[in-house]
Amino acid sequence: MDESAFLEQNAAREGVVVTSTGLQYEVIEEGDGDLPSTGQVVFTEYEGRTIDDQRFVSSNGIEYFRLNETILPGITDALTRMSEGSTYRLVIPPDLGYGDNPPQGTPVNCGSVLVFDMTLDSFLRDPEFFLADNELNDDITVTESGLQYRILEEGDGGEKPGPGSRVEVNYTGTFTNGFEFDSSPAGETVVFNAAGVIQGFAEGVQLMTPGAKYEFFLPPDIGYGNNPPQGSPIPTNVVLRFEIELVSIVE
């Protein structure tokens, strides 16, 4: 299907920018944050339509993914031009979209031009950059392993857990942009063996006494690194932030 006439007409509209790759975009709202790069994890909301306004995809609230070769080139091109908080309307030519391989069961055809409304909520900074910057905060302590932590509340000064201790905790796990990926059930605590969790979490718990609340930042090599659990919402090679309350050491 030849939709080149639509591309020509859209390119002539006031406010439409045409890039060197052929991507067309219109700024709906300009943000004031930083711009992501290829390889970074972006948090977005989006809706994709054909030129006759048939929707074929949309996000369920904010979704996140890494900008790599599995993402449509037109989407990657657009997002690396957008600052955090921006909303753009994208018109993506076939060679930057699905080309001759449209998704089955959708109104997208071979050679379809795609129209996306895309909002960039935020993105995750490279771990090395984030950790180096975070370390500069006066209230951050860095351990030999690279674990970073902040004391939110001191404990009762009692005994600290050992590597084989069973501990009772409340916790919340987020990415560095504040997006939550895990937490203990509301109103409930979780009991586990300190040796049975990822290295950074285990090390952090052993720094605390009962009653303490700490905030931890886990570099990838003491988090999940390149091997997050199968089906996990955690991307590879990201910094994890945990807020942990050590309720008690279980006998």
Side-chain angles (χ1 to χ4, degrees):
M1 179 181 296
D2 184 5
E3 298 182 348
S4 56
F6 176 86
L7 290 172
E8 292 176 7
Q9 293 169 6
N10 191 70
R13 291 176 54 242
E14 184 178 357
V16 172
V17 178
V18 183
T19 74
S20 59
T21 65
L23 171 71
Q24 301 181 14
Y25 69 87
E26 181 180 1
V27 178
I28 306 301
E29 183 175 348
E30 192 65 87
D32 58 4
D34 295 330
L35 280 68
S37 302
T38 301
Q40 292 180 311
V41 177
V42 294
F43 291 69
T44 69
E45 292 185 89
Y46 57 87
E47 180 179 88
R49 306 182 303 279
T50 60
I51 63 172
D52 57 356
D53 210 31
Q54 295 185 74
R55 186 174 67 176
F56 63 88
V57 70
S58 64
S59 60
N60 181 17
I62 294 177
E63 296 184 359
Y64 54 95
F65 50 86
R66 192 178 298 276
L67 289 176
N68 56 27
E69 64 277 358
T70 67
I71 305 303
L72 294 180
I75 297 294
T76 297
D77 188 358
L79 284 168
T80 54
R81 300 173 188 271
M82 297 171 65
S83 58
E84 290 172 303
S86 294
T87 299
Y88 283 17
R89 177 159 294 156
L90 317 177
V91 173
I92 302 176
D95 62 321
L96 299 179
Y98 293 112
D100 292 329
N101 296 287
Q104 295 184 347
T106 73
V108 180
N109 298 309
C110 292
S112 283
V113 173
L114 309 177
V115 180
F116 273 87
D117 286 341
M118 177 77 64
T119 298
L120 175 62
D121 174 81
S122 57
F123 67 92
L124 301 184
R125 273 60 179 174
D126 292 330
E128 295 80 4
F129 176 87
F130 174 85
L131 292 166
D133 188 58
N134 197 52
E135 185 177 346
L136 299 177
N137 291 307
D138 292 339
D139 57 350
I140 289 291
T141 301
V142 185
T143 72
E144 187 175 344
S145 72
L147 176 69
Q148 299 184 3
Y149 68 92
R150 172 184 289 123
I151 299 173
L152 304 178
E153 291 183 26
E154 286 286 14
D156 61 12
E159 181 183 359
K160 295 179 180 179
S165 298
R166 286 177 60 77
V167 293
E168 179 186 12
V169 304
N170 285 313
Y171 73 92
T172 302
T174 70
F175 302 120
T176 54
N177 64 345
F179 190 94
E180 183 178 312
F181 61 82
D182 191 19
S183 67
S184 48
E188 300 180 26
T189 57
V190 176
V191 176
F192 57 83
N193 192 301
V197 293
I198 52 176
Q199 179 184 340
F201 197 113
E203 179 185 349
V205 168
Q206 292 174 68
L207 297 172
M208 305 170 71
T209 58
K213 282 186 180 180
Y214 282 21
E215 180 181 21
F216 296 98
F217 300 89
L218 280 59
D221 63 336
I222 57 171
Y224 287 110
N226 288 317
N227 295 290
Q230 189 171 10
S232 165
I234 300 172
T236 58
N237 196 38
V238 296
V239 175
L240 304 179
R241 173 191 170 275
F242 285 96
E243 187 172 309
I244 302 174
E245 176 190 9
L246 177 59
V247 177
S248 68
I249 302 171
V250 181
E251 296 297 334

PDB file of all heavy atoms in Angstrom, residues 62-74:
ATOM      1  N   ILE A  62       1.621   3.668  32.269  1.00  0.00           N
ATOM      2  CA  ILE A  62       3.033   3.830  31.923  1.00  0.00           C
ATOM      3  C   ILE A  62       3.660   2.454  31.735  1.00  0.00           C
ATOM      4  O   ILE A  62       3.548   1.582  32.591  1.00  0.00           O
ATOM      5  CB  ILE A  62       3.780   4.617  33.016  1.00  0.00           C
ATOM      6  CG1 ILE A  62       3.256   6.058  33.074  1.00  0.00           C
ATOM      7  CG2 ILE A  62       5.284   4.608  32.752  1.00  0.00           C
ATOM      8  CD1 ILE A  62       3.868   6.893  34.163  1.00  0.00           C
ATOM      9  N   GLU A  63       4.315   2.265  30.605  1.00  0.00           N
ATOM     10  CA  GLU A  63       5.060   1.039  30.326  1.00  0.00           C
ATOM     11  C   GLU A  63       6.524   1.406  30.091  1.00  0.00           C
ATOM     12  O   GLU A  63       6.843   2.551  29.755  1.00  0.00           O
ATOM     13  CB  GLU A  63       4.480   0.328  29.109  1.00  0.00           C
ATOM     14  CG  GLU A  63       3.046  -0.152  29.324  1.00  0.00           C
ATOM     15  CD  GLU A  63       2.501  -0.940  28.144  1.00  0.00           C
ATOM     16  OE1 GLU A  63       3.229  -1.095  27.135  1.00  0.00           O
ATOM     17  OE2 GLU A  63       1.339  -1.386  28.223  1.00  0.00           O
ATOM     18  N   TYR A  64       7.400   0.425  30.251  1.00  0.00           N
ATOM     19  CA  TYR A  64       8.822   0.722  30.081  1.00  0.00           C
ATOM     20  C   TYR A  64       9.499  -0.369  29.270  1.00  0.00           C
ATOM     21  O   TYR A  64       9.104  -1.529  29.276  1.00  0.00           O
ATOM     22  CB  TYR A  64       9.517   0.925  31.425  1.00  0.00           C
ATOM     23  CG  TYR A  64       9.354  -0.188  32.428  1.00  0.00           C
ATOM     24  CD1 TYR A  64      10.317  -1.194  32.546  1.00  0.00           C
ATOM     25  CD2 TYR A  64       8.253  -0.230  33.289  1.00  0.00           C
ATOM     26  CE1 TYR A  64      10.181  -2.206  33.487  1.00  0.00           C
ATOM     27  CE2 TYR A  64       8.111  -1.238  34.223  1.00  0.00           C
ATOM     28  CZ  TYR A  64       9.082  -2.223  34.315  1.00  0.00           C
ATOM     29  OH  TYR A  64       8.943  -3.228  35.241  1.00  0.00           O
ATOM     30  N   PHE A  65      10.532   0.047  28.561  1.00  0.00           N
ATOM     31  CA  PHE A  65      11.289  -0.867  27.705  1.00  0.00           C
ATOM     32  C   PHE A  65      12.650  -0.238  27.417  1.00  0.00           C
ATOM     33  O   PHE A  65      12.840   0.976  27.580  1.00  0.00           O
ATOM     34  CB  PHE A  65      10.541  -1.150  26.400  1.00  0.00           C
ATOM     35  CG  PHE A  65      10.054   0.062  25.666  1.00  0.00           C
ATOM     36  CD1 PHE A  65      10.877   0.752  24.778  1.00  0.00           C
ATOM     37  CD2 PHE A  65       8.756   0.548  25.871  1.00  0.00           C
ATOM     38  CE1 PHE A  65      10.430   1.871  24.107  1.00  0.00           C
ATOM     39  CE2 PHE A  65       8.299   1.678  25.198  1.00  0.00           C
ATOM     40  CZ  PHE A  65       9.143   2.339  24.313  1.00  0.00           C
ATOM     41  N   ARG A  66      13.578  -1.070  26.991  1.00  0.00           N
ATOM     42  CA  ARG A  66      14.917  -0.582  26.653  1.00  0.00           C
ATOM     43  C   ARG A  66      14.964  -0.210  25.173  1.00  0.00           C
ATOM     44  O   ARG A  66      14.438  -0.938  24.327  1.00  0.00           O
ATOM     45  CB  ARG A  66      15.971  -1.646  26.966  1.00  0.00           C
ATOM     46  CG  ARG A  66      17.407  -1.114  26.910  1.00  0.00           C
ATOM     47  CD  ARG A  66      18.423  -2.188  27.286  1.00  0.00           C
ATOM     48  NE  ARG A  66      18.266  -2.667  28.644  1.00  0.00           N
ATOM     49  CZ  ARG A  66      18.781  -2.078  29.723  1.00  0.00           C
ATOM     50  NH1 ARG A  66      19.461  -0.942  29.585  1.00  0.00           N
ATOM     51  NH2 ARG A  66      18.608  -2.591  30.929  1.00  0.00           N
ATOM     52  N   LEU A  67      15.581   0.905  24.881  1.00  0.00           N
ATOM     53  CA  LEU A  67      15.721   1.349  23.499  1.00  0.00           C
ATOM     54  C   LEU A  67      16.844   0.556  22.826  1.00  0.00           C
ATOM     55  O   LEU A  67      18.032   0.873  22.978  1.00  0.00           O
ATOM     56  CB  LEU A  67      16.034   2.846  23.447  1.00  0.00           C
ATOM     57  CG  LEU A  67      14.902   3.789  23.830  1.00  0.00           C
ATOM     58  CD1 LEU A  67      15.398   5.240  23.828  1.00  0.00           C
ATOM     59  CD2 LEU A  67      13.726   3.641  22.882  1.00  0.00           C
ATOM     60  N   ASN A  68      16.448  -0.499  22.134  1.00  0.00           N
ATOM     61  CA  ASN A  68      17.441  -1.333  21.448  1.00  0.00           C
ATOM     62  C   ASN A  68      16.899  -1.750  20.091  1.00  0.00           C
ATOM     63  O   ASN A  68      15.893  -1.233  19.614  1.00  0.00           O
ATOM     64  CB  ASN A  68      17.827  -2.545  22.306  1.00  0.00           C
ATOM     65  CG  ASN A  68      16.628  -3.385  22.696  1.00  0.00           C
ATOM     66  OD1 ASN A  68      15.608  -3.414  21.998  1.00  0.00           O
ATOM     67  ND2 ASN A  68      16.718  -4.086  23.819  1.00  0.00           N
ATOM     68  N   GLU A  69      17.550  -2.724  19.472  1.00  0.00           N
ATOM     69  CA  GLU A  69      17.208  -3.103  18.096  1.00  0.00           C
ATOM     70  C   GLU A  69      15.850  -3.776  17.985  1.00  0.00           C
ATOM     71  O   GLU A  69      15.339  -3.953  16.873  1.00  0.00           O
ATOM     72  CB  GLU A  69      18.297  -4.017  17.512  1.00  0.00           C
ATOM     73  CG  GLU A  69      18.472  -5.357  18.196  1.00  0.00           C
ATOM     74  CD  GLU A  69      19.338  -5.293  19.443  1.00  0.00           C
ATOM     75  OE1 GLU A  69      19.841  -4.184  19.762  1.00  0.00           O
ATOM     76  OE2 GLU A  69      19.526  -6.347  20.088  1.00  0.00           O
ATOM     77  N   THR A  70      15.229  -4.160  19.105  1.00  0.00           N
ATOM     78  CA  THR A  70      13.904  -4.780  19.038  1.00  0.00           C
ATOM     79  C   THR A  70      12.787  -3.739  18.928  1.00  0.00           C
ATOM     80  O   THR A  70      11.644  -4.092  18.658  1.00  0.00           O
ATOM     81  CB  THR A  70      13.642  -5.659  20.277  1.00  0.00           C
ATOM     82  OG1 THR A  70      13.542  -4.830  21.438  1.00  0.00           O
ATOM     83  CG2 THR A  70      14.757  -6.681  20.469  1.00  0.00           C
ATOM     84  N   ILE A  71      13.104  -2.470  19.146  1.00  0.00           N
ATOM     85  CA  ILE A  71      12.119  -1.388  19.096  1.00  0.00           C
ATOM     86  C   ILE A  71      12.091  -0.802  17.686  1.00  0.00           C
ATOM     87  O   ILE A  71      13.124  -0.702  17.019  1.00  0.00           O
ATOM     88  CB  ILE A  71      12.462  -0.296  20.125  1.00  0.00           C
ATOM     89  CG1 ILE A  71      12.590  -0.907  21.537  1.00  0.00           C
ATOM     90  CG2 ILE A  71      11.410   0.799  20.132  1.00  0.00           C
ATOM     91  CD1 ILE A  71      11.378  -1.651  22.015  1.00  0.00           C
ATOM     92  N   LEU A  72      10.913  -0.420  17.212  1.00  0.00           N
ATOM     93  CA  LEU A  72      10.818   0.182  15.883  1.00  0.00           C
ATOM     94  C   LEU A  72      11.798   1.348  15.759  1.00  0.00           C
ATOM     95  O   LEU A  72      11.867   2.200  16.660  1.00  0.00           O
ATOM     96  CB  LEU A  72       9.401   0.686  15.634  1.00  0.00           C
ATOM     97  CG  LEU A  72       8.277  -0.351  15.547  1.00  0.00           C
ATOM     98  CD1 LEU A  72       6.940   0.351  15.298  1.00  0.00           C
ATOM     99  CD2 LEU A  72       8.552  -1.364  14.457  1.00  0.00           C
ATOM    100  N   PRO A  73      12.558   1.409  14.658  1.00  0.00           N
ATOM    101  CA  PRO A  73      13.533   2.502  14.506  1.00  0.00           C
ATOM    102  C   PRO A  73      12.921   3.886  14.651  1.00  0.00           C
ATOM    103  O   PRO A  73      13.553   4.793  15.204  1.00  0.00           O
ATOM    104  CB  PRO A  73      14.088   2.278  13.091  1.00  0.00           C
ATOM    105  CG  PRO A  73      13.872   0.825  12.810  1.00  0.00           C
ATOM    106  CD  PRO A  73      12.601   0.459  13.533  1.00  0.00           C
ATOM    107  N   GLY A  74      11.701   4.061  14.170  1.00  0.00           N
ATOM    108  CA  GLY A  74      11.061   5.370  14.284  1.00  0.00           C
ATOM    109  C   GLY A  74      10.767   5.759  15.718  1.00  0.00           C
ATOM    110  O   GLY A  74      10.851   6.941  16.084  1.00  0.00           O
TER     111      GLY A  74
END
